[in-house]
Amino acid sequence: MPPRPRSRAGAAMPTDHPRERGQALALAPILRAIADENRLLLIMLLGQRTRTVKELQEATGLSQPLVSHHLTNLRKQSLVTVTQSGRTHQYSLCCDTLAESVRLLLDLTTGEVAHASEPTENACDGG
């Protein structure tokens, strides 16, 4: 019998749901990339419109090297694209799906997520 696959933490991974396991392994780095509050803020701003590093720097108060560092992390996960326009670089989100997903997650903080059976309740309020 072959050994059971192991997670990055070394724990044995269940093998009874291989498709879901593969999806979770593919999604985990993306979630790690957006879990940082500065990167999440950049995603939220880019969800509004395309911006330059300078515009992101001014909007966030972060230093230019820090904005560039976070954009590099987002680009590595293909969450942000860059287009060169003369001497400036224009950053935008990879897709509308990312902006929509972040907006849905924001609903968790505002209590606007609805149960299918009870449209006005927060989905995470335990009710």
Side-chain angles (χ1 to χ4, degrees):
M1 176 182 283
R4 290 181 82 174
R6 299 214 170 256
S7 70
R8 289 184 182 183
M13 298 182 339
T15 56
D16 50 342
H17 296 284
R19 183 177 63 100
E20 289 83 359
R21 173 63 56 187
Q23 291 170 332
L25 288 172
L27 185 57
I30 293 169
L31 293 176
R32 278 193 294 274
I34 65 173
D36 179 272
E37 75 178 74
N38 290 324
R39 288 192 288 268
L40 187 55
L41 177 57
L42 294 174
I43 289 170
M44 291 165 63
L45 291 170
L46 292 172
Q48 297 169 355
R49 64 179 174 86
T50 299
R51 297 175 189 253
T52 64
V53 171
K54 183 161 182 60
E55 290 172 324
L56 291 168
Q57 178 187 354
E58 291 170 354
T60 62
L62 300 173
S63 67
Q64 181 274 324
L66 190 55
V67 170
S68 294
H69 167 76
H70 286 305
L71 289 171
T72 297
N73 285 327
L74 294 171
R75 284 181 65 196
K76 285 180 182 176
Q77 293 301 321
S78 301
L79 299 175
V80 170
T81 60
V82 61
T83 309
Q84 190 164 352
S85 175
R87 292 177 45 191
T88 63
H89 292 87
Q90 299 283 332
Y91 288 86
S92 56
L93 291 185
C94 63
C95 55
D96 290 335
T97 302
L98 178 57
E100 292 167 16
S101 299
V102 169
R103 281 191 283 276
L104 286 172
L105 290 170
L106 283 171
D107 288 348
L108 294 174
T109 66
T110 62
E112 295 176 14
V113 177
H115 287 287
S117 62
E118 299 174 20
T120 59
E121 287 190 31
N122 181 337
C124 296
D125 68 1

